[in-house]
Amino acid sequence: MRSPKVFPLHAFSCTVLVLAAACWPLRASAQRAARCDNAQRVRSVKFSGSPHFDAVTLAASIITHEPSVMTRWFHRGTAPCLDSLELRRDALRLAVMHRQVGWFQASVVPVVDRRPNGVRLRFAITPGPEAILDTIVIQGLPEPTGDGPAFEAPLRALENERFDRTRADAVIERVVAQLRDAGYARATSPRSLVTIDSAAARATLALAFSPGRMVTVGDVQIEVQPLRDGHPRVATAAVERLVAIHPGDQFRASAILDAQRDLYRSESFRLVLIDTLTPLNAASDSVLDLRVAVAEARTRAARVGLGWATQDCIRMQGRIVDRGFLGVGRRVELSARASKIGVGAPAGFAPALCSGALRVDPFSQKLNYYVGTTLTNTRLFGLPIQPTLTVYSERRGEPFAYLRETGVGALIELSRQFTARTSGTAGVQYENGRTITDPVISCSRFGQCRPQDFALSLFGRGVGIVSTGAAHDHTNDLVNPSRGWRVRGDVRAGESASDSVQSLRFYRGTGELSTYLRFAGGVIASRVQLARAFAPGAELVDGSPLLPQQERIFSGGQSSVRGYQQNLLGPIVYVVSDVKPETVGPNGERVVVVKDGAGYDRAVPRGGTAMFVANLEWRRGFRFFAEELQFAAFVDAGNVWESDTEGFRWGNLRATPGLGLRIVTPLGPFLVDVGYRPYEPVAGRALFFTSGDAQGSAGQILCASPRNAALSRGLAIFDCPSTYRPPSSRGILSRLTFHFGLGQAF
């Protein structure tokens, strides 16, 4: 079987180098660097008894650290000396951490195990009883206006829970922010009094708020500092338009934050300051004046780049940006890209510089290009909605698959940041062009083998798509979350036309829910993904509606079911070459059958119209190795199927366990995941491709699947049975799939 290597040697070497670099002791220890005997050097630091914090969090909160993995394993560097003063301070730090989150009687004793080759430390934590916040006494909060929830509702949710002072302070600040956003500009943090009953492990919290009077906006003064000496280029009226706060408006803190965000988003200013002019101690005054001060920035820039890629050969790109086009807040970008330079006409001057695959690829014989203009406005008619318009023309290709030439394409998008965590987008896209494709290639790579199939598999003359999506992120970290949840979804509706079918309407929806929580010293992450594609009234091809190939659903890979390679979960078509030829019938039609035990040249995913994927992962950092390392154990399950021919069944899901390694870097976690596939290869249709003859006859696509004597004659492609099952190896390595990437899998 000729299949691509999934774990090449150079990838393994890069992984080892990254791992070594991450484990290298880059951070200087805060402990004393004084000289000491080996018996006074810290060899290990451990923790016991904490009911809330894991070892990684506790270690990050103290000064005393154990030596790095390079020092412990390879004796590179020197272990830190024990500092008895810092040791006592560390014990106090750990005790305060636990008292802040509800264990008021927590105590920490450092246990020192002295040995000839160094000191082993263990911080023994005794938390004591958990303190419960049984009562909250609230004074001074006004009644909400309209049908909004009561201001005290978030505070009441803290009652009868463990008295976590950090959480309580965060909730109090949120209530104060709600007051300021409701017009109480002078609302400050309330006076608080905590009463603790140590014997009963109970606490009472009394809060006295002073919101003051409801405030409206007075004058809005705008100051513009020019980029150079002289008059400012930006008019104050343009700044006022972006601020969108007018005299007489009710004071809202969120409106000020939105104004500051929009001014920065315009990219016309290097500094934005919004402040009040009326003294805040004037409690009797119900009007506040605002001062908006901005400093101009350079608004024009140009950039040119040159590179080389395996599938693009030499490529170039250029961009010109004007961030003050027709006024502040309007941004225009002219961009141009070209690839296949060196092999594609009219720039095929150096084919030797390109890969051998590109030199024989029929769809790389022309220069690929993109020319487009993007216009962005910070606000739409004064509303907090950011519109974007892109008009473009391009030629792009997928090697050995297709060449897409778009004469004119346009995309209009509207995006809005509803809150700091919630955003939404809506867009309309239209393309007019043509797709050049080879029926044989379309059949082998996309599983679309009839003329009407590959005519629609890639967008035809024109296609229009309307889409909308929304996302809400309630996690504590966008890159490496450990608590919270996030949800996102989008819906697409489109219509496509081709030379063989006048019109085809299709719809597609996707949804995703992820959760994160701490467990057993690490993080449990879970995710569920759903997707469904429809094409009402479309012709059924091989039991599936005739969808454009881009709208079909694929799964498997690094961010999906990790026991499979990218997109290879679900229905598969196999391309074979080791076949047994026969000639039967009076017409001399050619019949081929794949030999028993023969391998395949490549596997091609057909995709489907429905998908379900569920992921469960536990990841944890172990300080014994290095603080920059995380280990992960996961189980992924899911499948892709044709919803018109089969329904969802739990028994059809494919579950693949695996292990992973995460290396914390400034750009995010670098991951290495190894998924194990316990299943035999899925049975599918086997196809054999013949070459043309000297008389100019085109090659044929023949069914090569095993079949009985009654089906010995040649079969049409879509009558070909899915009875070919590739040979499977009993070795474990052949069932492993390796994935590398930057960022968590989800």
Side-chain angles (χ1 to χ4, degrees), residues 314 341-344 346-353:
I314 302 174
I341 301 175
V343 68
F349 57 86
L353 296 177

Side-chain angles (χ1 to χ4, degrees), residues 2-301:
R2 298 188 295 273
S3 57
K5 295 182 180 179
V6 298
F7 193 32
L9 180 61
H10 71 272
F12 177 79
S13 303
C14 293
T15 304
V16 172
L17 291 175
V18 172
L19 175 62
C23 297
W24 197 269
L26 297 177
R27 182 180 58 184
S29 175
Q31 295 168 248
R32 291 183 179 178
R35 296 180 179 179
C36 60
D37 298 332
N38 287 335
Q40 295 297 320
R41 296 194 179 276
V42 178
R43 298 300 176 183
S44 67
V45 179
K46 299 184 180 300
F47 307 89
S48 64
S50 176
H52 185 72
F53 300 104
D54 56 53
V56 174
T57 303
L58 295 173
S61 305
I62 62 176
I63 299 299
T64 304
H65 284 279
E66 60 187 13
S68 67
V69 65
M70 295 297 296
T71 302
R72 295 196 305 270
W73 291 3
F74 304 104
H75 305 290
R76 298 294 302 270
T78 305
C81 297
L82 177 65
D83 189 328
S84 57
L85 177 60
E86 287 297 344
L87 186 64
R88 292 192 295 270
R89 290 176 176 172
D90 286 340
L92 180 60
R93 293 185 182 100
L94 297 176
V96 170
M97 282 179 60
H98 287 79
R99 294 170 187 174
Q100 281 288 104
V101 296
W103 286 275
F104 294 149
Q105 300 181 25
S107 62
V108 180
V109 177
V111 180
V112 181
D113 180 11
R114 300 183 182 273
R115 300 183 185 182
N117 64 338
V119 177
R120 274 72 175 171
L121 297 177
R122 179 174 64 87
F123 289 93
I125 302 169
T126 304
E130 183 181 271
I132 302 299
L133 180 61
D134 60 358
T135 305
I136 300 180
V137 180
I138 303 174
Q139 297 178 349
L141 279 181
E143 293 295 328
T145 58
D147 298 330
F151 291 115
E152 66 179 25
L155 295 170
R156 294 301 178 190
L158 299 175
E159 292 183 328
N160 299 317
E161 300 286 341
R162 174 169 45 84
F163 186 27
D164 185 336
R165 188 64 198 232
T166 303
R167 179 188 173 193
D169 289 342
V171 173
I172 291 172
E173 289 302 316
R174 190 172 71 186
V175 172
V176 173
Q178 291 176 349
L179 288 171
R180 292 172 180 169
D181 202 44
Y184 298 95
R186 297 184 177 87
T188 58
S189 298
R191 299 188 304 274
S192 62
L193 177 63
V194 180
T195 304
I196 301 174
D197 186 347
S198 300
R202 295 280 174 174
T204 301
L205 176 61
L207 299 174
F209 288 87
S210 299
R213 299 179 60 181
M214 189 171 289
V215 173
T216 57
V217 176
D219 292 335
V220 180
Q221 301 182 12
I222 297 176
E223 300 178 6
V224 180
Q225 179 181 348
L227 183 64
R228 300 184 180 88
D229 295 337
H231 295 289
R233 180 180 56 85
V234 177
T236 57
V239 179
E240 182 179 355
R241 176 177 55 84
L242 288 180
V243 171
I245 299 176
H246 308 287
D249 291 349
Q250 180 178 298
F251 181 91
R252 291 193 305 112
S254 61
I256 294 179
L257 292 177
D258 290 342
Q260 191 171 32
R261 184 187 302 114
D262 288 342
L263 288 170
Y264 274 121
R265 188 184 297 168
S266 70
E267 302 181 65
S268 298
F269 310 104
R270 64 182 186 273
L271 180 64
V272 176
L273 297 175
I274 302 180
D275 202 357
T276 58
L277 291 176
T278 307
L280 290 178
N281 56 6
S284 60
D285 194 353
S286 61
V287 177
L288 281 178
D289 297 335
L290 294 182
R291 174 178 173 269
V292 180
V294 296
E296 290 182 338
R298 298 182 183 274
T299 58
R300 295 179 180 177

Side-chain angles (χ1 to χ4, degrees), residues 447-741:
Q448 307 289 334
C449 302
R450 298 193 305 179
Q452 59 265 42
D453 301 335
F454 57 77
L456 284 176
S457 63
L458 303 160
F459 291 140
R461 289 196 309 266
V463 59
I465 296 177
V466 178
S467 63
T468 182
H472 180 80
D473 194 318
H474 202 267
T475 60
N476 63 335
D477 192 317
L478 293 177
V479 178
N480 189 19
S482 60
R483 293 188 305 274
W485 54 274
R486 64 166 63 112
V487 62
R488 63 186 64 170
D490 64 84
V491 178
R492 296 163 55 86
E495 184 171 352
S496 177
S498 72
D499 293 333
S500 59
V501 178
Q502 291 300 320
S503 178
L504 171 67
R505 293 181 180 179
F506 55 88
Y507 307 89
R508 175 171 171 168
T510 59
E512 177 181 321
L513 172 64
S514 305
T515 62
Y516 307 88
L517 57 91
R518 292 189 177 274
F519 177 78
V523 176
I524 283 188
S526 62
R527 181 182 64 176
V528 175
Q529 290 179 305
L530 300 171
R532 184 74 164 86
F534 305 87
E539 177 187 356
L540 292 182
V541 178
D542 201 21
S544 174
L546 195 59
L547 279 170
Q549 187 69 17
Q550 294 91 328
E551 300 303 322
R552 291 180 67 83
I553 299 172
F554 298 87
S555 186
Q558 174 182 323
S559 59
S560 181
V561 180
R562 283 165 279 187
Y564 291 83
Q565 286 290 352
Q566 190 71 27
N567 297 332
L568 290 184
L569 176 63
I572 297 292
V573 176
Y574 297 96
V575 179
V576 298
S577 58
D578 190 3
V579 298
K580 179 181 179 182
E582 299 177 1
T583 302
V584 297
N587 297 327
E589 67 267 24
R590 188 176 183 185
V591 176
V592 294
V593 178
V594 65
K595 295 181 179 179
D596 292 336
Y600 61 91
D601 290 346
R602 59 186 182 273
V604 182
R606 286 183 50 198
T609 58
M611 180 196 73
F612 174 84
V613 171
N615 309 92
L616 183 65
E617 178 177 285
W618 177 72
R619 48 184 180 253
R620 176 180 176 178
F622 289 90
R623 295 180 58 253
F624 174 78
F625 297 98
E627 294 183 6
E628 295 84 3
L629 295 184
Q630 283 185 342
F631 293 88
F634 58 84
V635 176
D636 303 326
N639 211 339
V640 174
W641 66 93
E642 301 285 2
S643 57
D644 292 83
T645 58
E646 60 178 323
F648 171 79
R649 293 200 300 258
W650 290 105
N652 288 342
L653 297 183
R654 295 292 179 261
T656 62
L659 299 174
L661 176 69
R662 311 286 188 266
I663 305 174
V664 179
T665 70
L667 299 179
F670 173 79
L671 66 84
V672 180
D673 283 339
V674 183
Y676 174 72
R677 186 182 65 258
Y679 306 97
E680 299 294 327
V682 62
R685 180 179 295 133
L687 303 180
F688 174 73
F689 297 94
T690 68
S691 58
D693 54 27
Q695 285 72 32
S697 298
Q700 292 180 300
I701 309 173
L702 303 179
C703 173
S705 297
R707 51 195 183 273
N708 56 35
L711 299 175
S712 59
R713 291 181 175 273
L715 295 175
I717 290 300
F718 288 101
D719 295 326
C720 184
S722 298
T723 55
Y724 170 71
R725 189 180 296 274
S728 61
S729 174
R730 296 183 179 180
I732 295 180
L733 290 179
S734 64
R735 296 176 179 265
L736 298 181
T737 305
F738 293 83
H739 302 282
F740 305 88

